[in-house]
Amino acid sequence: MAHDHHHDTHGSVHQQGHGHGHGNGHTHDHADIDWAEMAPHLEAHAELYTPLYRQALTWLAREVTEPGLVVDVGSGPGVVSCLFADTFPGARVVAADGAGPLLERARARAERLGFGDRFGTLTGDLPGALSELDYPADLMWASQSLHHLPDQRAALAALGGHLAPGGTLAILEGGLPARFLPRDLGFGRPGLQARIRAVEEDAFAEMRADLPDSVAETEDWPAMLTAAGLKHTGTRSFLLDLPAPLSDAARDYVTTSLSRLRERIGERLDAGDRATLDRLLDPADEAGVHRRQDLFVLVAHTVYTAVRPV
């Protein structure tokens, strides 16, 4: 299963010092992340992905009708939390995250959009902090956060324990990784992004293995949801398709994603691919991502739903 880590959409799910990374590649040591500085980038990413999230929420709304409480686990700056508030006008929405500065942005966003009177935040290590909820959730959403926790099955059981009987847990994990670049760039060896993905997969496997008390798990999410005491009810993938030529916002996302990838895994690439990536990131180069007209964004995210038995 692919691991797409262009998940600037959300914030930090902290457990034993681990949580969300936000960009292309894998950021898994969060001790030195300045979330206030990151927040605008996270918001911009989530806003770019909003068409995908709206598709997912429309699908969820057919399964979950009129929820009283919706909890966004690992909400970050609250872009998706506010989409939940818009999708379910009768619901109270709680954005839960380990990073206070991101939740400040979430609160401000909810106020600005007119959801402030039914929007709350919960700060703390997740999933443990969910014990502070006033009452169980009818719908709980966790986007690309569970794979950062040592024991994913235990985390699913913990989330399920905060659902009301008949409540739904929706998790976004896997799918197809984001693609930005044509196979042949006109320089360097064709297939750069496929080779970058292979390096990222190795880095992801190392991240999982290095988590304290990490539990190896076959990534069969329906089976894990069932093992956690929930009833798997649906699986569906949603596409974000931004064709060339890109908007300025989408181009900024591609540039930022590739820049962070260069910082994190650039040294794992061979010299030729590293040189190609450096040329792509050179603002003065006509063939770089700042100027070329054939960039695109194509990604698929998969959502799994499960219900807590009545």
Side-chain angles (χ1 to χ4, degrees), residues 84-310:
F84 274 105
D86 184 52
T87 302
F88 299 106
R92 175 169 175 76
V93 175
V94 171
D97 201 276
L102 299 182
L103 291 179
E104 291 175 18
R105 300 285 287 239
R107 281 190 291 270
R109 187 181 193 90
E111 290 287 348
R112 190 166 68 249
L113 295 175
F115 305 136
D117 60 339
R118 55 188 181 88
F119 191 93
T121 58
L122 180 59
T123 311
D125 289 351
L126 297 169
L130 297 177
S131 60
E132 298 176 32
L133 290 170
D134 293 333
Y135 45 92
D138 301 296
L139 173 60
M140 188 170 287
W141 168 265
S143 174
Q144 295 184 322
S145 52
L146 288 161
H147 63 244
H148 294 277
L149 300 178
D151 189 336
Q152 296 168 105
R153 190 181 303 192
L156 287 171
L159 294 179
H162 295 290
L163 287 173
T168 294
L169 173 62
I171 61 168
L172 187 156
E173 290 286 351
L176 295 175
R179 294 297 297 260
F180 313 135
L181 305 172
R183 185 191 64 85
D184 192 336
L185 297 165
F187 62 93
R189 185 157 59 104
L192 174 67
Q193 201 162 7
R195 292 189 297 280
I196 286 173
R197 283 304 311 175
V199 172
E200 288 187 286
E201 290 290 351
D202 287 343
F204 180 85
E206 291 172 16
M207 179 281 291
R208 286 289 315 160
D210 289 345
L211 287 174
D213 304 316
S214 177
V215 177
E217 195 79 60
T218 299
E219 287 182 1
D220 180 344
W221 290 101
M224 280 195 274
L225 288 162
T226 301
L230 304 172
K231 181 179 185 239
H232 173 238
T233 52
T235 300
R236 186 165 169 185
S237 296
F238 302 93
L239 190 70
L240 179 69
D241 179 11
L242 305 178
L246 289 179
S247 66
D248 289 345
R251 184 180 296 274
D252 287 347
Y253 159 67
V254 170
T255 303
T256 300
S257 296
L258 289 175
S259 297
R260 290 180 185 158
L261 183 148
R262 175 64 177 89
E263 293 170 9
R264 284 197 285 277
I265 66 165
E267 297 311 309
R268 293 175 176 238
L269 300 174
D270 67 34
D273 283 346
R274 199 158 52 243
T276 300
L277 186 54
D278 286 343
R279 184 174 174 189
L280 281 171
L281 291 170
D282 182 355
D285 196 316
E286 289 290 340
V289 293
H290 296 82
R291 304 191 186 194
R292 63 186 304 139
Q293 294 301 302
D294 57 356
L295 300 180
F296 58 91
V297 177
L298 184 63
V299 61
H301 284 335
T302 302
V303 178
Y304 303 88
T305 57
V307 170
R308 179 175 181 172
V310 176

